[in-house]
């Protein structure tokens, strides 16, 4: 059967990992023809194909969280994955207001870079729905920025970029920044 489990894990890893998110790269939604693979060696994206530009947003605070939930129904014979990203962009500006609106109006594909150096893609087939809250806090040390939430609902879980795809992604970062 093609959905049989093919590997186990019988070693408790060393405690030398780190967590947290470093940056996100947004691509306007399209069918770019990414080259992906899903087998016992991993769930990977190795070629960005038709993608020509991404917009990088650095994340420099502790309010950024990614989670993914798989939902299966034996009765319906279905499985899907809900990918959730909460991220904070600091400092409200007139230029960022426009970009935030465009994120909400569109359905970007979002590449997420962890502090450990991995990059994965959420919203590969359907893009992500983005919602936002803008805030200026009541004290000098309160948030002045945006708390954003992106949700992708996909038939596959996130795809991790191979080393070559990471290099290609970083070469596509637009020089147009706020």
């Amino acid at each position: 059967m093609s959905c049989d489990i093919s590997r186990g894990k019988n070693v408790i890893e060393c405690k030398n990992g780190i967590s947290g998110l470093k940056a996100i790269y947004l691509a306007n939604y399209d069918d770019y023809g990414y080259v992906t693979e899903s087998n016992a060696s991993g769930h990977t994206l190795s070629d960005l194909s038709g993608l020509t530009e991404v917009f990088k947003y650095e994340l420099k605070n502790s309010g950024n969280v990614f989670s993914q939930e798989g939902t299966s129904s034996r009765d319906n014979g279905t499985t899907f994955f809900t990918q959730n990203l909460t991220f904070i962009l600091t400092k409200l500006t007139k230029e960022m207001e426009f970009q935030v609106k465009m994120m909400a109006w569109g359905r970007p594909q979002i590449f997420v870079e962890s502090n450990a150096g991995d990059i994965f893609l959420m919203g590969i087939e359907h893009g992500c729905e983005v919602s936002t809250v803008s805030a200026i806090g009541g004290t000098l040390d309160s948030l002045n920025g945006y708390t954003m939430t992106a949700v992708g609902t996909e038939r596959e879980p996130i795809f991790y970029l191979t080393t070559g795809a990471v290099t290609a992604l970083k070469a596509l970062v637009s020089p147009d920044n706020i």
Side-chain angles (χ1 to χ4, degrees), residues 40-74:
S41 297
H43 205 247
T44 58
L45 188 156
S46 59
D47 188 343
L48 300 175
S49 300
L51 184 63
T52 59
E53 183 176 50
V54 295
F55 301 93
K56 182 178 180 180
Y57 292 84
E58 291 185 10
L59 306 176
K60 293 188 176 191
N61 52 57
S62 60
N64 308 297
V65 178
F66 173 81
S67 65
Q68 178 173 251
E69 179 181 343
T71 304
S72 293
S73 170
R74 182 181 304 259

Side-chain angles (χ1 to χ4, degrees), residues 9-169:
K9 183 175 179 181
N10 57 0
V11 174
I12 296 175
E13 304 291 332
C14 296
K15 298 179 297 252
N16 62 347
I18 59 171
S19 192
L21 303 177
K22 181 178 181 178
I24 57 173
Y25 304 79
L26 277 67
N28 289 311
Y29 179 80
D30 203 343
D31 181 7
Y32 293 106
Y34 300 127
V35 176
T36 61
E37 187 172 55
S38 182
N39 57 40
S41 297
H43 205 247
T44 58
L45 188 156
S46 59
D47 188 343
L48 300 175
S49 300
L51 184 63
T52 59
E53 183 176 50
V54 295
F55 301 93
K56 182 178 180 180
Y57 292 84
E58 291 185 10
L59 306 176
K60 293 188 176 191
N61 52 57
S62 60
N64 308 297
V65 178
F66 173 81
S67 65
Q68 178 173 251
E69 179 181 343
T71 304
S72 293
S73 170
R74 182 181 304 259
D75 292 338
N76 297 332
T78 60
T79 299
F80 65 93
F81 297 86
T82 303
Q83 305 156 354
N84 292 288
L85 174 66
T86 300
F87 59 101
I88 297 173
L89 301 175
T90 56
K91 195 169 182 187
L92 273 68
T93 66
K94 61 186 179 196
E95 296 87 4
M96 270 308 298
E97 285 296 325
F98 180 78
Q99 295 307 318
V100 165
K101 176 180 80 172
M102 300 315 290
M103 288 179 209
W105 281 7
R107 53 182 173 138
Q109 295 171 328
I110 302 175
F111 295 87
V112 181
E113 182 176 13
S114 74
N115 284 329
D118 296 317
I119 298 180
F120 57 84
L121 174 59
M122 57 183 289
I124 191 169
E125 287 184 1
H126 305 292
C128 297
E129 299 301 324
V130 178
S131 58
T132 181
V133 174
S134 303
I136 296 178
T139 62
L140 290 176
D141 63 345
S142 296
L143 174 64
N144 173 345
Y146 308 86
T147 301
M148 313 278 293
T149 302
V151 178
T153 304
E154 300 288 336
R155 65 184 176 118
E156 294 275 354
I158 57 173
F159 285 90
Y160 285 84
L161 276 64
T162 62
T163 303
V166 167
T167 301
L169 177 74

